[in-house]
Each structure stands twice: as C-alpha cells, then as structure tokens.
Amino acid sequence: MRLRIGHMYPDLMNLYGDRGNVIALARRLQWRGIEAEIVGIAAGDAAALGDFDLLFMGGGQDREQAIVCRDLEARREDLRRAMEADVVLLAVCGGYQLLGHYYRMPDGREIPGLGILDLHTEAGPTRMIGNAACRSEYLPEPGTLVGFENHGGRTYLGPGCAPLATVLSGHGNNGEDGGEGAVYRNVFGTYLHGSLLPKNPHFADLLLGRALARRGAGTMGDPLDDSLEWRAHRVALGLAGVDGREA
Amino acid sequence: MGIRARLAHIFGKLGIRVLRLLGRAATTAPGRVILAVDPGFISRVSGQVRHSRAVITGTNGKTTTAALLEGMMAGAGWKVVRNASGSNMAAGIATALVDHDAISGCDALVAEVDEAALAGVAAMVQPDLAVVTNFFRDQLDRYGELDRTVDLVRRGLERVRGTACLNADDPRVADLADSLPGEVDTVFFGLAGEASGGERDAVDPAAAGLDTQFCPRCGGRFTYEGRVFGHLGDYRCPDCGWRRPARHVVGRILDADGAGLLMAIDFPDGDSLVAKLGVPGAYNAYNAVGAAAAARAAGIDGPAIRAGLEAFTGAFGRMERLSLEDREVVLALSKNPVGFDQILRAVADDAGTGAVLVGINDGHADGRDISWLWDVDFEMLDAGEVPVVVSGTRAEDMAVRLKYGGLDLERLQIVGDLEGALERAVERSPRGARVYALLTYTAMLGLRERLERRGLVGEMWRG
Ligand SMILES: [Zn+2]
C-alpha cells in the first residue's frame, strides 16, 4: 500500500508551520509500514487532484493568497470532482477560507472562493488570536482538538456542511456560534494550527483512516505509541484553560 | 534640563538600584516609572545628545548590530548610551538613558527598537541615523502579518532625518528607500554573494525561504542570481524589472570557521578595511556591515570601525560561552526559523558537540504561537549520537517536533525546569565537550538570570 499526499502550495501557503501537518501524516504512515509519497503542488503545476489520496492546504499572507486564488480558479472543477470522489482534504486557516463561497472585505468587496464548502467569511474588526481547544464528535476519545488560532475573518457555515467541533476555549469560526471548522464528506476545514496534526494524533489518524478506507484497506494495524503526543496535547489543553478531565 | 526630567532621572536611578540590590535585571520597569514622572523625558534628554541618535530595527540582528555600532563609536572615544538587549520599546530606552546618566550629556544614543514601537520611539528620539536589518517572519501572533510589520517600520522611518542604512539584499527592506522623506540619505549595504562560501544556499529556499520571494512592487516571483541565506541575496523581478539596488557598503567573508569570521568591508569612497569578528555565521556578517555603514554615516573613521568589530565578543545571548563542570556551554538565542537553522548548522558541524539543550517558551516576548517550530530544520540533529534535552513551557511540543523529525527517542529527554535541563545536558555530555543551549528569548532571560546569580555569566544590563 502506498498513499499519495498532495501538499498544495507548500511555498505560498505555509504561514503557521503548516508543513508540520504533512510531516505528521507522512511519519504516521511510515511508522505503520505504509509508503507515503509527498508531492508539492505549486501554482501553475499540472496536477490531477483526483490522483491523490489526501490533499493538504495551509494558510498564507494576503499577497500569497491572492496568487493561490488565481491558480485555484483554474483547478476549481478538478478539485470539485476530487471532493465528490471522496479524496480526503484538510485545509487550515487561509486555505479553509478559500474553500468557501466568498471572503467579504471590510469595504464590502467580495473575493470569490471555490464554493466547495457551503460557508462564507467576513473580515472582522479585530484578529482572534490565542491557544484554543474544542471537542469534535468525529473523533474518538478524548475527542478534544488543540491548537492556536490567529485569524481576522469570521466564518459562517451554511446548511451544506457541519461544524468540525464545538469550542471549549477560544473563538472558533466566528466567536459567536460556538462552532469550529467545517466538514463535508471527506473535506475538513479548521482555523487551528500549531501545527495541528502532530499533537492531535487521533485527528491525523482519522484523515489517514478515511484515505486508506477509500482505497479498500480495512485496518490501520496496531495503534502507535502516542504518549509523547498526548503529553503535548494535555499541555495545550491547559494553556487553553481547559482541564483535560472535564474536557 | 527642567525639574521634571531631573525628578524622573532620580526616580529611575533609585528603581534601577533597588532592582539590582535584589539581584534582578533593571530593564523596563524603571523606564515605566521615568516616563510616568516625565512623559517627555526621552525627547528632552536625547535632544542633548552631542553627535548621533541612532535607531536600529528589523527582525534579526538588532542587538548585535547595536552592540557593534556602540563598540565602533566607543572606539572613536565617544560616550555612548545603548539600551539593554530586548528592552527595545520606549521604557527600555528611558532606563538606559538614566542608567548611563545621559542627562549630564553623551555623544551618541544607540537604540535597538522593536518594529512595532519604532514610530513612537522615533517621535521621541528624533533619530538622525537608522538601520533596518531584515524582515523575517517572527512572533507572528503579536503583530499579525509581515506586511503589517513592514508598514509599521515604514511609518517609523518617516520620523528619521539624516541617514537611513538599508539592507539592500532584503527586498522588503530595500523597497523602503522609496518612501523615505526626501531629505534623508539612503545608504544601501549588503554582502558579496560570491564570497559567502559555505553559507551560500545553506538554507533550502523551498523549505525555508518562505518569507519574501515576491516583488513588493508588482507581486512577481523573484529570481536570484545568488542567495546568501533565506531570501537575502541578489534578487530580480522578471515582471517589472526591479532588482537589488547598487550597494554603497559591501562586506565580503574572506574566511570562516565555527568561532568567527574574517571579513572585508568596502566603503563608497574607495576606503576598505579587513577585520576579524569573534562571532560566526553570515547573519553576523550582515550585522557587521550594517553597523559599519551606520558608523561611517556618523563620521566614525576606519580604524575605530575595525576596533569595534574586533572587540566584539557577542551581544547578550548570541553565542555566549561559559564554562561549567569542565564543559563549555554555548548559549545561543534562537527565536525564529532562519536564526534557528543557522545555529543548528553550527551545532551539527561542530565535532566537539557533547549535548544539546533546546528551551522553548511561549511568553509574550517569545511569541505565544509556537507553530514556527515546524519550520525549523531540526532534522539536522538526527545524525550523530548526542543527547538532546528539551525544556521550557513548550518542552512537550518541542519533544514531539524532534520525534517527527526522526530523532531517536533514546537520545531525547524532557526536563521542564531550564536550570535543571542545563545540568542534565552537562551531565550527559562528555567532559571537555561543548553543550549548546538553544533558547527562545524568555528562556534565555530566565536561564541567564539563574546563571548570573551563580556568577557564571556577566550582568545582563552591561551586556
Ligand atoms: Zn516586480
């Protein structure tokens, strides 16, 4: 078995150590004896997104995101077909926002997104910054996700997707409705970085499990020794002001 | 000088003395008292500075550049006031002015200034000299994004009269020249790419050159004739044709080893000097050239510049060396991916390395977001056998980073307390070997304070 992981725009969309997520996915496959092929997809590259098992996209600065936006426009149909074929996608922060219908600027202008997730984002007056924790029904016990959020945009979900998690501490999608991130089929969006997957090993395995299941692999094999990861997870819960037991 | 400023000076002096009696560093707290008593203290006192009021800003190298410039001016016989490393907002500058009795006159003020504080500080200091070192992503959660930091510096530079020394090899810094007030002279400095030897392309651009690769004028993607490291080098925009401006002051690394650099610096008037620098790395060569450019603009002659360069042994925490139980401990401030990568390379290249301590804190001054750890190439530690001790408030995150970097877990140990972690690293290192302590800002401050009490390092406020 060999999984192909596409890292979308590794040079442009890597604002918050996002490559840690790809490192985590690759290592966890390697530790299970499953081969991982990591492919960087740069702006302008010819790449059939449906040929990947798992795609990752991080966040970038405004300037970089504008370039990505233009490039993604040309990939819209390809990406949509890949999503309908249940290719697994994780998008963090800026990448998450790009999957929605549009981003509304402070002056009211709307920058169109890909419309893959039924959500939109509005620029807010302040940035929402800090350690954050939430709990997700998609995850096995303890179900908590920890990370760091830093976003000015407020994201609002439509009926076509569900929140990934419920905020325990921090702001989440918009600081209002208690939701964090979004899920549609095998597409996951979130504001959490940190990097996210290394200290949320259950979420990394959820993504890998779905990618493997799609390829007909029944099991992931023996569980890995994640004691170090959970130690970091518990420290991050504490920093977010959440007691590991009550969470 | 008015009664108010005198009163502020006396209060500040008292505060500094009390803190030192308690064995504490007097950096910003006295400054807050001084500015509460006399909000106009900095502008009043710096108005009396005889020759030069310099501000130094940028992501990396502020402290080293400021210390080098201070040394060069001291070499010319000037009395110089410089703020303590890292105390680079108004309060830290007020503390320094009082501590060095600037109220009774001095020749120069050399202030390293936080990028976000530059506009405010420059309004008080009225600088006639400015140095901008570079822009790397750093402490993101404090300011938002790099574009904003650049704008803050741009706004701060509007207050500068006299000369602005800009790193021409960094496109975002070079681009600032166009928005300077008309009467300001621009001095561009940089490093000759061909002489950078082993440092050239030391950092894989795809992995770490993530900061500035795009033309600030048109958004085009830069091509490089040569890179020194990161995004610093001879860039050119294929879309609008903008390229690195011609440099007035150029440094060349003639020879380099783990302990230092031999470098030549060429000035625009055909003058040139060769000096030995007691700190390693191309990033320190940039600091040396930036400081030399500023010193020359302030009217300092070649021999004094050279004396300043050669007398330099490291600003606070940048590769500071001390001896502990027959091991040489090297303290290295490591606060962002590019700085970290440079130091890790030195550690990996040093056959005498006996153990490594990595101390990661997430205090306000460190940046509360530690996701940048994933942009550092800790994989450089994988080769070899040396034990690695991780510490600080984010020791566990650091341990996970090393695990996913491929480090053999047998070599890894977590010790939350920094002093305990250093002791553990020393224990696990063979006698006579070097123990590298790579520390974020507050981790350095905390560990150094303990070492200071044991008399192992000098007092920070004199560093
Ligand atoms: Zn251009």
Side-chain angles (χ1 to χ4, degrees):
Chain A
M1 179 66 72
R2 171 192 176 95
L3 283 194
R4 283 193 93 205
I5 299 175
H7 186 178
M8 300 180 77
Y9 314 106
D11 55 340
L12 298 169
M13 302 288 270
N14 189 8
L15 187 53
Y16 300 114
D18 289 317
R19 75 174 184 147
N21 293 306
V22 178
I23 294 173
L25 293 168
R27 284 285 183 204
R28 297 185 72 77
L29 285 172
Q30 185 200 341
W31 291 332
R32 293 186 163 96
I34 301 168
E35 222 183 310
E37 183 191 357
I38 311 291
V39 180
I41 303 167
D45 281 0
L49 299 177
D51 292 349
F52 290 91
D53 297 296
L54 207 155
L55 292 165
F56 172 78
M57 181 160 58
Q61 302 198 34
D62 294 350
R63 189 192 308 274
E64 280 80 351
Q65 253 169 237
I67 298 169
V68 166
C69 233
R70 283 197 295 275
D71 190 73
L72 276 175
E73 191 51 46
R75 299 185 196 272
R76 183 197 293 261
E77 280 320 302
D78 190 27
L79 187 59
R80 185 185 297 279
R81 274 195 301 275
M83 297 305 95
E84 297 305 323
D86 283 330
V87 169
V88 179
L89 169 65
L90 173 64
V92 175
C93 208
Y96 169 42
Q97 295 172 347
L98 284 176
L99 295 181
H101 298 299
Y102 60 86
Y103 184 101
R104 185 180 296 144
M105 308 277 281
D107 61 10
R109 253 181 334 124
E110 288 180 3
I111 302 171
L114 289 168
I116 281 174
L117 289 177
D118 181 20
L119 55 85
H120 75 273
T121 304
E122 299 171 9
T126 54
R127 289 189 80 80
M128 303 196 275
I129 303 176
N131 290 297
C134 51
R135 196 208 321 266
S136 173
E137 290 172 13
Y138 293 88
L139 295 171
E141 280 304 305
T144 44
L145 276 173
V146 290
F148 197 93
E149 59 178 340
N150 182 351
H151 53 107
R154 275 73 170 153
T155 295
Y156 299 92
L157 273 50
C161 61
L164 167 64
T166 307
V167 173
L168 296 171
S169 164
H171 302 87
N173 283 330
N174 48 49
E176 297 162 29
D177 62 21
E180 157 55 41
V183 183
Y184 165 73
R185 300 183 76 126
N186 278 348
V187 182
F188 296 83
T190 177
Y191 273 118
L192 296 177
H193 55 90
S195 296
L196 177 66
L197 296 181
K199 55 176 174 272
N200 293 286
H202 52 345
F203 191 35
D205 284 354
L206 172 82
L207 301 173
L208 292 174
R210 289 204 181 189
L212 287 164
R214 188 173 158 268
R215 291 277 299 275
T219 165
M220 300 245 282
D222 292 337
L224 302 172
D225 176 2
D226 289 331
S227 47
L228 207 51
E229 287 85 339
W230 289 116
R231 261 178 92 169
H233 185 99
R234 282 192 298 273
V235 169
L237 276 179
L239 288 166
V242 176
D243 184 326
R245 279 159 306 174
E246 77 185 56
Chain B
M1 191 66 39
I3 182 76
R4 202 160 179 166
R6 281 181 199 288
L7 207 61
H9 178 84
I10 290 164
F11 272 106
K13 207 79 186 168
L14 205 67
I16 293 169
R17 198 160 301 165
V18 168
L19 283 172
R20 284 188 189 155
L21 279 173
L22 296 172
R24 306 252 302 275
T27 46
T28 58
R32 278 191 221 109
V33 175
I34 295 160
L35 294 174
V37 176
D38 180 9
F41 184 80
I42 293 177
S43 56
R44 261 189 268 281
V45 174
S46 51
Q48 304 210 119
V49 173
R50 280 185 288 272
H51 297 312
S52 185
R53 294 176 300 275
V55 289
I56 293 156
T57 196
T59 310
N60 288 323
K62 287 189 284 284
T63 302
T64 300
T65 305
L68 283 166
L69 179 57
E70 177 192 30
M72 294 166 185
M73 289 171 162
W78 288 12
K79 184 190 170 199
V80 188
V81 173
R82 176 169 74 88
N83 55 333
S85 68
S87 309
N88 50 22
M89 308 209 197
I93 292 162
T95 303
L97 288 169
V98 165
D99 193 21
H100 294 82
D101 298 310
I103 198 161
S104 39
C106 69
D107 295 305
L109 168 65
V110 175
E112 64 160 287
V113 186
D114 182 272
E115 299 93 291
L118 184 64
V121 167
M124 299 183 214
V125 168
Q126 299 134 27
D128 52 22
L129 187 55
V131 182
V132 184
T133 58
N134 50 57
F135 289 120
F136 284 93
R137 294 189 308 175
D138 191 20
Q139 303 177 354
L140 274 168
D141 60 311
R142 214 145 49 110
Y143 306 133
E145 299 170 7
L146 187 65
D147 289 346
R148 202 170 113 66
T149 304
V150 175
D151 275 339
L152 288 169
V153 170
R154 193 187 304 276
R155 234 170 295 153
L157 289 179
E158 285 167 10
R159 302 271 185 175
V160 175
R161 298 294 174 266
T163 306
C165 302
L166 303 178
N167 185 345
D169 294 358
D170 185 327
R172 299 289 273 275
V173 176
D175 186 49
L176 292 170
D178 279 5
S179 45
L180 288 172
E183 66 276 24
V184 172
D185 290 325
T186 303
V187 172
F188 285 115
F189 66 87
L191 286 184
E194 74 274 10
S196 56
E199 295 289 349
R200 189 167 175 183
D201 285 335
V203 176
D204 174 14
L210 305 156
D211 296 294
T212 310
Q213 312 163 44
F214 297 95
C215 177
R217 306 200 164 179
C218 77
R221 188 191 283 257
F222 280 131
T223 57
Y224 279 82
E225 298 283 315
R227 279 182 199 244
V228 179
F229 64 85
H231 62 267
L232 306 183
D234 190 3
Y235 50 86
R236 188 179 172 286
C237 172
D239 296 347
C240 73
W242 186 58
R243 62 185 309 158
R244 178 176 71 179
R247 282 98 46 96
H248 305 97
V249 180
V250 181
R252 277 175 292 137
I253 299 173
L254 305 174
D255 196 12
D257 59 27
L261 300 167
L262 182 68
M263 60 183 300
I265 300 177
D266 299 326
F267 295 97
D269 48 13
D271 194 9
S272 178
L273 63 85
V274 173
K276 254 198 202 133
L277 197 61
V279 286
Y283 53 109
N284 279 317
Y286 271 113
N287 298 331
V289 184
R296 180 48 63 95
I300 305 293
D301 64 11
I305 291 174
R306 181 168 174 229
L309 288 170
E310 301 210 324
F312 183 73
T313 53
F316 153 69
R318 277 136 181 108
M319 292 281 195
E320 189 176 18
R321 286 154 209 270
L322 61 114
S323 174
L324 197 61
E325 291 170 32
D326 297 333
R327 282 84 162 175
E328 184 184 31
V329 175
V330 182
L331 302 177
L333 183 66
S334 315
K335 50 177 190 164
N336 57 23
V338 169
F340 236 116
D341 283 348
Q342 297 268 354
I343 291 160
L344 282 170
R345 188 164 299 278
V347 172
D349 287 349
D350 183 354
T353 302
V356 178
L357 162 66
V358 186
I360 305 295
N361 276 359
D362 64 351
H364 185 68
D366 304 297
R368 285 160 55 224
D369 180 7
I370 46 114
S371 54
W372 60 271
L373 290 180
W374 292 88
D375 289 328
V376 179
D377 283 323
F378 284 105
E379 286 77 1
M380 279 190 261
L381 291 176
D382 290 355
E385 311 264 287
V386 301
V388 181
V389 181
V390 296
S391 184
T393 52
R394 301 309 291 266
E396 290 79 7
D397 276 90
M398 188 58 227
V400 169
R401 173 70 188 94
L402 290 171
K403 177 181 176 182
Y404 281 82
L407 192 88
D408 179 0
L409 293 184
E410 300 278 302
R411 292 166 57 192
L412 181 65
Q413 192 173 0
I414 303 177
V415 182
D417 170 66
L418 281 160
E419 196 176 14
L422 180 63
E423 278 163 10
R424 192 79 194 99
V426 166
E427 258 169 53
R428 291 184 67 177
S429 159
R431 284 178 190 281
R434 256 183 295 285
V435 177
Y436 284 93
L438 281 53
L439 305 159
T440 62
Y441 181 70
T442 67
M444 172 69 81
L445 219 60
L447 180 60
R448 227 179 159 287
E449 206 166 65
R450 311 262 201 98
L451 296 173
E452 220 176 281
R453 278 189 211 156
R454 291 163 60 182
L456 291 166
V457 294
E459 295 166 324
M460 189 169 343
W461 54 85
R462 304 200 204 290

